[in-house]
């Protein structure tokens, strides 16, 4: 029996090379849940990310990539450990932020900013 869909909003992330971006998302702990050669639905950590093959445009240069995604999960430490070499240093290291989130910043495909976090108060409560 198919899984019931979850209510939510999910980012659609363009990639210059969609096939090359998939291993990054798999390394984060996501798995393909459908799609085709130009559009892939990835699921993991209770989240969903939609990836699409990008068209032409000035943002194709990674330095001009205006896109970012925030993945909210209590498993932030486990994910950060999977991609330690991709953590943006020094500013993106895993820590409690002044805005109340325990988070990490990761350099994704095409210069995509991937931030992963969970409310600090909830991390403290569970520690």
């Amino acid at each position: 029996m198919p899984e019931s869909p979850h209510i939510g909003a999910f980012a659609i992330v363009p990639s210059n090379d969609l096939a090359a971006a998939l291993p990054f998302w798999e390394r984060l702990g996501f798995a393909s849940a459908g799609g085709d050669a130009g559009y892939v639905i990835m699921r993991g950590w209770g989240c969903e990310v939609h990836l699409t093959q990008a068209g032409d445009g000035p943002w194709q240069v990674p330095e001009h990539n205006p896109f970012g995604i925030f993945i909210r999960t209590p498993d932030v430490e486990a994910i950060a450990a999977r991609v330690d070499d991709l953590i943006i240093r020094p500013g993106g290291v895993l820590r409690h932020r002044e805005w109340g989130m325990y988070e990490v910043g990761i350099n994704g495909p095409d210069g995509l900013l991937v931030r992963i976090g969970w409310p600090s108060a909830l991390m403290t409560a569970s520690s």
Side-chain angles (χ1 to χ4, degrees):
M1 178 174 271
E3 181 181 325
S4 296
H6 298 281
I7 295 172
F10 308 104
I12 300 173
V13 179
S15 295
N16 289 326
D17 184 343
L18 181 56
L22 295 178
F24 168 83
W25 292 97
E26 290 166 350
R27 188 171 167 199
L28 283 180
F30 286 78
S32 177
D36 59 31
Y39 193 96
V40 179
I41 298 169
M42 303 292 287
R43 289 192 186 129
W45 307 102
C47 302
E48 190 168 297
V49 177
H50 294 215
L51 307 176
T52 187
Q53 178 62 51
D56 295 328
W59 67 271
Q60 280 193 315
V61 178
E63 298 84 49
H64 298 129
N65 189 340
F67 300 100
I69 184 168
F70 190 95
I71 299 168
R72 188 175 56 215
T73 175
D75 298 304
V76 61
E77 290 176 346
I79 298 172
R82 295 174 75 116
V83 293
D84 183 69
D85 60 311
L86 299 177
I87 292 174
I88 300 167
R89 299 181 195 281
V93 295
L94 183 61
R95 68 180 189 270
H96 292 278
R97 309 294 175 148
E98 56 273 14
W99 48 86
M101 297 297 287
Y102 184 60
E103 66 182 47
V104 64
I106 298 169
N107 185 23
D110 301 317
L112 176 73
L113 172 61
V114 179
R115 289 173 53 189
I116 302 166
W118 193 246
S120 291
L122 297 178
M123 293 299 294
T124 305
S126 65
S127 301

